Amino acid sequence: MDLEKNSPCKVNLLLNILGRRADGFHELETVMQPVNFCDELSFERAGNGIQLSCSDKSLPVNSKNLVFRAAQQFLAAAEISGGVKIHLEKKIPLAAGLGGGSGNAATALLALNELFSWPLAPEKLHEIATALGSDIPFFLQNKPALATGRGEKIQPLENFPALRGKAFLLIHPGFGISTPWAYQNLARFPKALNGQKGRAEKLISLLQTADLKTASGELYNSLEAPALEKFPVLQLFQEFLRANGALAALMSGSGSTTFAICENISSAESLEEKFKSKFGQNCWTAVVPI
Ligand code: C5P
């Protein structure tokens, strides 16, 4: 029996870093928005151990892969001696700030729990997810959320009225940004490193009660400080997108993806065309309804 699951990605509408913690992670508040652009995973009970395959040959298929580690942790916690075969069809760009790998790990935990008839409680899945990576608990649920702590404390939210009917234009510049690099280099930007708490609450309130034009002034990402300094083209992308009709434009997560929010699908598609004729064909782009 094969179990097939879509594994969506996310953007951070706000990523406000509050300071560096004693354990080396950063305390933050972030508003995370699911994006219905997906990798595909399939699962099958088979033999012993974990057999992982992946369409993208640049990704490891051993314990360096988050899906493999999620499956290992799941089988151990559920005390299952049988094995699983997993295939990952990769569509989401890598090192993109879209949480592709984190989403894959969460999807694997949920799917394996289903495949083996729910041996683990949601709290246990959350505990495994947190140990695997800060962004993974968000993907155990599929709603917008306020995430705090190092990103693992999730408060689910209803869909934001300000985003209803809108569309994302995602743009990956063709190079990735490593998350540890972005956090390390944030140290050179004391203001971005030590943000004021409360910006998330303000943005959430505006997304619930005001229009996007009003709320868009509150979209913010602390990690743009190191990323846009090293890659000024990302700044140019945002300026171009705003000047050509985007209601908002920001870098997602630790980069390198820029997202624009557009009035609807057709305006996102025409912005995509304009963007491609200006910046060439090397960028990966996708238009996704919200
Ligand atoms: O938790 P995750 O494995 O996704 O984090 C990757 C890296 O990003 C960490 O090793 C750390 O350098 C940095 N990070 C951080 N503070 C966070 C989340 C991630 O410093 N809240």
Side-chain angles (χ1 to χ4, degrees), residues 26-207:
H26 292 74
E27 195 71 12
L28 53 81
E29 53 174 10
T30 179
V31 181
M32 298 172 87
Q33 170 73 30
V35 176
N36 192 18
F37 183 86
C38 300
D39 289 336
E40 291 158 12
L41 280 152
S42 61
F43 303 84
E44 194 185 335
R45 290 198 200 198
N48 281 305
I50 299 154
Q51 299 167 61
L52 175 63
S53 56
C54 181
S55 59
D56 184 334
K57 300 302 170 206
S58 74
L59 277 178
V61 286
N62 53 23
S63 63
K64 287 189 178 138
N65 189 305
L66 270 176
V67 170
F68 190 100
R69 286 218 291 283
Q72 259 181 333
Q73 295 295 316
F74 172 85
L75 293 176
E79 298 179 358
I80 289 166
S81 53
V84 284
K85 225 167 133 175
I86 305 175
H87 180 72
L88 168 58
E89 200 64 30
K90 203 75 200 159
K91 307 256 167 78
I92 303 167
L94 309 177
L98 295 171
S102 297
N104 294 163
T107 301
L109 290 174
L110 292 169
L112 293 173
N113 209 28
E114 184 178 336
L115 194 66
F116 289 95
S117 304
W118 292 278
L120 299 186
E123 297 73 27
K124 186 66 194 174
L125 293 181
H126 189 277
E127 184 189 316
I128 296 174
T130 299
L132 287 170
S134 308
D135 274 356
I136 301 177
F138 164 76
F139 287 103
L140 292 175
Q141 50 97 59
N142 63 355
K143 288 174 144 200
L146 166 64
T148 54
R150 65 177 166 93
E152 87 286 13
K153 293 183 190 152
I154 305 299
Q155 188 184 315
L157 301 165
E158 290 311 313
N159 287 336
F160 297 121
L163 295 182
R164 202 170 291 144
K166 307 279 188 291
F168 284 122
L169 169 59
L170 306 177
I171 297 167
H172 185 270
F175 56 84
I177 296 181
S178 126
T179 302
W181 176 89
Y183 276 101
Q184 274 157 27
N185 283 276
L186 187 62
R188 293 185 293 109
F189 301 87
K191 211 167 151 223
L193 173 62
N194 298 294
Q196 281 287 332
K197 191 167 181 264
R199 295 183 79 144
E201 212 172 300
K202 187 167 181 200
L203 175 63
I204 289 166
S205 159
L206 287 172
L207 289 169

